Amino acid sequence: MTGSIKVFYRVYPTEETDLENVVIDKQSNKVLVRRLQELAKNYTGSKKNFWHFQTDGVFLEARQDHIFEKIALDLLNDVMQGKTAVITAFGQTGSGKTFTVGGLNFAEKDFGLVPRIASAVFEMKREQPRNMKVCIEMSYIEFERSNAVDLLDDHAITHRKPFSKVEVKNEYQALKCIFLGEGRKRFNNAESGYASNLYSTVVTFYVTRRDTDLTNPTKVVSKLHVLDLVGNAYAKSSATHKEAKTIGQANVIKSELEQFVLCLTENMPERIKVKQRTNVLLHYLDGDLSNRHSLVFIGHITRLRADLLVTLSSLRFGAIVKGLKPKISENPYYMNEELELEYLKKELKACQREKYLDSVLLNQNLVFGLSSERIEHVDRTVCDYLNNHLDEMKMLNVADAKMVLERMKYTYKSREESIERLQAENQQLMVKSESSSLKIKSSKSCTNSSTSKNGKKSKESMSLKERRSSSGTLEKKVKIPASTEFHVSTEVSLTHKANKRKSTVENATKRSGRKRSISNTSVDRKDSRASIKSSSSYNPPLPDLVTDNMELWKQFTTSVSYKNTVEEYKFNEKELRSQFKIYLAEVDRLNKLKDTLDKCSRDLVVAQTFRKFNSKDELDENGNLVISFSEKSCQDQLESTRAQLLDQQEQTLKSQEEFKIFFDNRQSLVKKLHADFDAYCAEHNNMPCSNVALVENDLQQLFSMNADIDAEKLGRTDEELVTEVPHLNERIKMIKSLQELMLNEMKRRQYAKEKSKIQWKNK
Ligand SMILES: Nc1ncnc2c1ncn2[C@@H]1O[C@H](COP(=O)(O)OP(=O)(O)OP(=O)(O)O)[C@@H](O)[C@H]1O
């Protein structure tokens, strides 16, 4: 139906039998109308000639659901995909336009297009892909020739613009809007027994689709207008439900619409603009009533002889519309600014978090907050290590790495300094001895001494170098650039860490009851170094490669290796988060203990000061100072807090280490995905062109999606779920209550109108 223009006709059911003047050819979708001249009293000819009108379908005694399926269903599907459409019911007064569009006075099976659309739109919304957020809004406006009345606004202020839009979250809310609006419409209290509309009305469904896929943050707004044009007729026809004045106005509107369509047919943009300015309905529809969109016209005709002239007029209007050539329209895509903003906010948050994690992991305060005893202990360990008394792996706790490296540097430097000092002294001695010996000899001995000096130096250096090489690549470790500082700390006690990681991951796997291959999750040291290299030498793809990448990325995400890694990543992320929480709790406890320690020290000082000021120092038999009870208890308290603090420090370092293991694991999994994707690109594109953003965005999205699912499961806060429309009996009750609402609204309006009339008369 996209970009199409269709004209259908619905024939009013009648019991009369004299119907040969309007013939319906269902096979060829034609309506034939007898030439009026031949029906004149003075016509003497015997021939029966007919006007032929080609249509896109004629509904004769058709059911409401059939009309909805034939006309609105495909159109609505298009609207949900971002296309705009207009359905217009036109025809003479009393021919069934409001019945086709609304039918709200009847049982649900006889509901017309609008309530059916309201139900279907939410069904379609539910079927949308997860990344597509769809928002439905509605408006219901009544149009006089130069004014508009907002029927969803209780005060119904007459104005031109802006027209209010009401967001509807479910079918019930949408139906409520429709019934309320219907109750507020102005109608003629015709004796014929039905409410004949005085003005044209338009129900508009606004569909806003926001793609929450961060790689494609677009927003599309489409509209579906359903117009119920005021019934036109000639005053002398059988349609006598309205006053001549109202009928006259209706005819003017119909002829304006006709002229507008003619302007569209002849493509006269200036005239189109003028028409839109002078007619508020056309102004409201703006560019939507144009051949760029899907337009469906439903003409309502009768077959009665008395209505023949109006029927002919309606058919002619349809013929004009059919002359309008459809244009294919592009979907108007806008950048989803809200989503973009949300995305940037997320990015910012992620950066802040990363920064925070960095600072936590480097943990300057914790390391430098260590006691002097601990620093001494570390120094001793470093000396033992440098003297080959201690194995590297046993030497230290991973978390102390930075501290140890600092101390190591310091010790190393001081040793080198002392060596240099010794060498300088040696040199001085040599110079002295040289000056006392023969010149020739001295030059020789000088050479020898320098050789021996160099020899000594090299020996010294060698011994250090040997030690270094025998106990690990210290030099390398110290020289690792600042950007990989975090990895430096993790590399020092590698085997220990790898073992620990294995066991932690194993434990974690056992805890969650999931089987997982540990070899995959444990990070190989070499791999991790290699991946650091590869990530540092990573060049982002050129912009024109991104489209290719996107395609490849889509294919890649369905591959087995990707899915396995993502599963692993998810699991690791879960563990990482819980471990991070634990770590934060430990840090919190540590800080509290530090505060307590400070407090204990202050208490002790106060107790000691108090003793000193209030009594002279007393000594016991052994000559020891007798301290007060409060002082004693403060001291005990201080000691025990100190012990607790030390334990807590250990505990915090342990949890930090565990957290780092999962953190490392995450990095390596992301790198693994990059590498896999690189390989995939190389295989399918003959060149490695991985897009880091694709990998990261995808993982990020994975987690935001999970969060949504969780929220749904836990909270079920979505209004749509809460106010879901009930079924069967409940549904009948709901419809009845809505119909009551509509009738009450009608009565209320009628009463207000009568009252204002009386007031005006009394004035
Ligand atoms: N196809 C139909 N089947 C049964 N009843 C119908 C049908 N079409 C119209 N009617 C009935 O005819 C009456 C007039 O219909 P409706 O109000 O829809 O006409 P209308 O074209 O909207 O008139 P107006 O322009 O005066 O508002 C209503 O009582 C309606 O229920």
Side-chain angles (χ1 to χ4, degrees):
M1 277 250 188
T2 310
S4 62
I5 296 164
K6 304 221 165 180
V7 182
F8 297 92
Y9 284 92
R10 186 176 199 182
V11 184
Y12 186 80
T14 175
E15 283 166 11
E16 284 189 33
T17 46
D18 177 24
L19 304 171
E20 72 273 8
N21 295 319
V22 180
V23 180
I24 311 294
D25 181 355
K26 281 202 95 178
Q27 282 216 316
S28 60
N29 287 335
K30 273 187 184 166
V31 181
L32 313 176
V33 183
R34 184 83 189 274
R35 282 186 67 192
L36 293 176
Q37 292 90 324
E38 293 173 12
L39 295 173
K41 278 180 191 162
N42 52 2
Y43 181 69
T44 50
S46 58
K47 267 192 176 176
K48 285 186 175 178
N49 291 305
F50 288 84
W51 294 102
H52 288 230
F53 293 95
Q54 184 64 52
T55 73
D56 291 294
V58 186
F59 301 107
L60 194 64
E61 292 176 3
R63 288 203 330 261
Q64 295 278 71
D65 56 346
H66 176 67
I67 292 191
F68 170 74
E69 275 160 31
K70 272 271 177 194
I71 290 178
L73 204 55
D74 288 350
L75 213 59
L76 189 58
N77 261 319
D78 285 349
V79 172
M80 290 303 279
Q81 297 310 314
K83 315 271 163 51
T84 287
V86 184
I87 302 176
T88 308
F90 68 96
Q92 77 177 93
T93 293
S95 58
K97 298 180 295 296
T98 310
F99 181 70
T100 302
V101 169
L104 299 178
N105 289 309
F106 297 87
E108 202 184 353
K109 72 174 177 49
D110 287 324
F111 273 3
L113 294 177
V114 171
R116 280 174 197 273
I117 289 170
S119 306
V121 85
F122 285 98
E123 253 173 57
M124 289 180 185
K125 185 183 166 185
R126 276 190 284 275
E127 283 157 18
Q128 292 295 310
R130 253 208 104 71
N131 60 315
M132 203 56 80
K133 294 275 172 257
V134 180
C135 166
I136 314 281
E137 290 164 302
M138 281 183 72
S139 64
Y140 199 160
I141 321 269
E142 185 178 62
F143 294 94
E144 296 170 17
R145 193 165 168 268
S146 52
N147 279 319
V149 180
D150 190 340
L151 296 176
L152 297 185
D153 179 348
D154 191 28
H155 305 293
I157 302 159
T158 308
H159 53 223
R160 283 190 80 125
K161 240 182 177 178
F163 304 102
S164 67
K165 280 194 260 176
V166 176
E167 189 184 345
V168 283
K169 303 236 175 199
N170 53 41
E171 186 194 2
Y172 175 73
Q173 288 181 0
L175 286 175
K176 198 171 170 189
C177 283
I178 297 164
F179 276 88
L180 257 184
E182 190 75 11
R184 288 172 184 169
K185 268 178 13 182
R186 282 169 290 173
F187 54 87
N188 194 34
N189 267 339
E191 283 163 18
S192 56
Y194 83 94
S196 174
N197 294 335
L198 283 178
Y199 302 105
S200 305
T201 55
V202 180
V203 178
T204 306
F205 294 88
Y206 299 85
V207 180
T208 309
R209 285 159 58 89
R210 287 186 181 84
D211 195 340
T212 54
D213 179 352
L214 293 178
T215 55
N216 181 32
T218 50
K219 181 171 93 169
V220 184
V221 183
S222 52
K223 287 176 254 176
L224 173 60
H225 301 283
V226 187
L227 260 90
D228 182 1
L229 276 186
V230 60
N232 69 296
Y234 291 102
K236 280 181 188 165
S237 83
S238 67
T240 53
H241 311 303
K242 284 179 189 153
E243 294 164 13
K245 185 182 152 212
T246 321
I247 297 277
Q249 276 175 1
N251 285 341
V252 170
I253 287 171
K254 188 189 159 242
S255 93
E256 279 184 350
L257 194 65
E258 239 172 61
Q259 286 170 28
F260 180 75
V261 174
L262 275 171
C263 291
L264 283 177
T265 324
E266 283 156 33
N267 198 14
M268 296 185 284
E270 285 314 309
R271 285 209 192 165
I272 290 170
K273 272 187 192 155
V274 172
K275 296 276 168 215
Q276 281 170 344
R277 244 178 257 153
T278 50
N279 184 313
V280 69
L281 170 62
L282 297 175
H283 175 72
Y284 172 79
L285 293 174
D286 201 11
D288 297 341
L289 190 70
S290 92
N291 43 354
R292 282 183 292 115
H293 300 297
S294 300
L295 307 181
V296 174
F297 289 83
I298 315 168
H300 290 75
I301 51 173
T302 77
R303 295 172 76 186
L304 300 176
R305 193 178 184 285
D307 293 330
L308 221 50
L309 206 59
V310 195
T311 302
L312 211 51
S313 157
S314 296
L315 287 162
R316 279 206 184 108
F317 177 68
I320 293 171
V321 171
K322 273 201 81 64
L324 193 61
K325 295 275 179 297
K327 273 186 194 168
I328 303 296
S329 69
E330 285 286 316
N331 282 355
Y333 287 104
Y334 313 99
M335 272 315 277
N336 188 348
E337 282 149 17
E338 291 156 43
L339 195 68
E340 251 196 330
L341 190 70
E342 203 178 297
Y343 173 66
L344 289 174
K345 275 185 190 165
K346 264 188 193 170
E347 284 281 285
L348 183 70
K349 236 180 176 178
C351 288
Q352 282 169 345
R353 196 175 162 80
E354 198 73 13
K355 199 177 150 208
Y356 174 64
L357 281 177
D358 272 353
S359 74
V360 168
L361 291 172
L362 294 173
N363 209 7
Q364 305 275 2
N365 293 338
L366 196 66
V367 172
F368 290 108
L370 291 175
S371 61
S372 55
E373 289 95 341
R374 184 122 180 101
I375 292 175
E376 273 170 29
H377 168 76
V378 172
D379 275 352
R380 269 201 308 278
T381 321
V382 169
C383 285
D384 284 351
Y385 163 67
L386 289 175
N387 290 326
N388 267 351
H389 296 152
L390 192 67
D391 182 47
E392 181 193 43
M393 304 310 162
K394 289 175 195 158
M395 181 180 71
L396 53 113
N397 185 318
V398 169
D400 291 339
K402 190 174 163 44
M403 172 73 182
V404 166
L405 282 171
E406 286 294 322
R407 304 305 308 169
M408 212 181 244
K409 259 192 205 167
Y410 175 76
T411 316
Y412 186 75
K413 213 175 159 193
S414 60
R415 281 194 174 201
E416 278 209 324
E417 275 170 11
S418 67
I419 289 166
E420 269 166 22
R421 217 175 34 246
L422 278 171
Q423 281 172 350
E425 281 169 18
N426 259 356
Q427 215 166 358
Q428 277 176 3
L429 282 171
M430 293 297 289
V431 171
K432 275 180 190 171
S433 68
E434 269 169 25
S435 63
S436 62
S437 61
L438 287 169
K439 275 184 184 175
I440 307 160
K441 240 186 175 181
S442 74
S443 68
K444 221 178 178 183
S445 69
C446 189
T447 325
N448 286 345
S449 70
S450 73
T451 320
S452 72
K453 179 185 78 186
N454 287 343
K456 195 172 182 183
K457 189 179 180 184
S458 66
K459 210 177 172 188
E460 283 278 356
S461 322
M462 265 305 286
S463 66
L464 263 174
K465 268 182 194 166
E466 271 166 21
R467 276 176 215 156
R468 269 182 282 150
S469 61
S470 70
S471 55
T473 52
L474 175 66
E475 206 170 57
K476 261 190 206 167
K477 284 168 206 162
V478 176
K479 280 183 184 168
I480 286 173
S483 59
T484 54
E485 212 165 349
F486 169 68
H487 297 278
V488 173
S489 62
T490 56
E491 275 178 26
V492 178
S493 62
L494 181 72
T495 320
H496 168 70
K497 180 182 143 183
N499 289 341
K500 191 117 195 195
R501 179 180 306 166
K502 265 191 180 181
S503 69
T504 316
V505 174
E506 260 171 10
N507 287 343
T509 316
K510 274 180 201 162
R511 268 207 301 279
S512 69
R514 286 166 70 160
K515 285 184 185 171
R516 208 157 56 92
S517 98
I518 284 146
S519 60
N520 283 349
T521 55
S522 65
V523 186
D524 189 327
R525 183 189 173 108
K526 274 182 192 170
D527 282 354
S528 104
R529 278 211 204 118
S531 51
I532 291 168
K533 260 191 184 175
S534 75
S535 73
S536 64
S537 64
Y538 167 73
N539 284 324
L542 295 169
D544 57 345
L545 285 177
V546 172
T547 340
D548 288 352
N549 265 4
M550 277 301 297
E551 273 310 306
L552 276 173
W553 176 247
K554 275 181 194 160
Q555 289 168 21
F556 176 69
T557 50
T558 51
S559 69
V560 180
S561 72
Y562 172 80
K563 278 184 183 157
N564 287 345
T565 318
V566 165
E567 273 307 304
E568 228 172 89
Y569 181 85
K570 274 187 192 175
F571 174 75
N572 187 69
E573 193 73 0
K574 207 174 129 201
E575 291 297 321
L576 178 80
R577 283 172 194 197
S578 70
Q579 201 52 52
F580 184 59
K581 272 188 198 159
I582 294 170
Y583 174 64
L584 287 183
E586 296 293 356
V587 171
D588 202 35
R589 245 170 264 148
L590 186 74
N591 286 335
K592 277 184 187 149
L593 277 171
K594 275 182 182 168
D595 290 347
T596 320
L597 192 73
D598 284 350
K599 192 176 167 291
C600 290
S601 319
R602 280 198 303 275
D603 288 352
L604 184 64
V605 172
V606 171
Q608 283 170 344
T609 318
F610 188 78
R611 175 175 53 77
K612 278 179 188 163
F613 273 93
N614 287 292
S615 63
K616 283 181 184 171
D617 287 349
E618 283 178 38
L619 301 174
D620 66 6
E621 291 164 356
N622 302 323
N624 294 326
L625 184 73
V626 177
I627 57 167
S628 69
F629 174 75
S630 63
E631 210 176 325
K632 175 89 179 68
S633 78
C634 284
Q635 227 160 25
D636 291 348
Q637 187 72 26
L638 189 70
E639 287 308 312
S640 87
T641 314
R642 215 172 255 158
Q644 280 177 34
L645 187 72
L646 277 177
D647 286 350
Q648 186 56 38
Q649 267 178 352
E650 289 296 326
Q651 196 60 31
T652 312
L653 292 172
K654 263 187 207 162
S655 69
Q656 187 196 50
E657 190 187 340
E658 296 222 332
F659 169 68
K660 278 201 279 185
I661 289 166
F662 286 108
F663 189 77
D664 269 4
N665 209 15
R666 175 212 251 186
Q667 307 291 92
S668 71
L669 281 168
V670 173
K671 275 169 196 161
K672 186 178 178 307
L673 268 182
H674 289 168
D676 284 357
F677 185 41
D678 258 345
Y680 191 86
C681 289
E683 196 184 316
H684 293 82
N685 220 15
N686 291 330
M687 57 183 282
C689 56
S690 81
N691 187 340
V692 177
L694 284 180
V695 177
E696 249 119 68
N697 283 347
D698 205 55
L699 292 176
Q700 216 174 348
Q701 205 193 344
L702 250 164
F703 286 96
S704 62
M705 260 167 66
N706 281 354
D708 282 352
I709 294 165
D710 287 351
E712 209 171 85
K713 269 188 207 158
L714 294 172
R716 289 181 74 85
T717 49
D718 190 356
E719 262 185 81
E720 214 169 302
L721 295 174
V722 178
T723 51
E724 226 163 1
V725 175
H727 287 283
L728 301 165
N729 290 343
E730 297 278 314
R731 197 172 167 86
I732 294 170
K733 261 191 212 165
M734 178 189 83
I735 302 284
K736 278 201 172 146
S737 73
L738 284 171
Q739 282 171 338
E740 241 169 69
L741 178 84
M742 177 177 79
L743 288 175
N744 287 340
E745 197 63 22
M746 273 182 179
K747 281 181 198 158
R748 195 167 72 85
R749 299 242 143 196
Q750 199 62 23
Y751 174 71
K753 200 173 143 192
E754 297 295 328
K755 209 173 151 190
S756 70
K757 257 191 203 167
I758 293 166
Q759 276 171 354
W760 187 79
K761 271 185 193 165
N762 290 343
K763 273 181 191 172

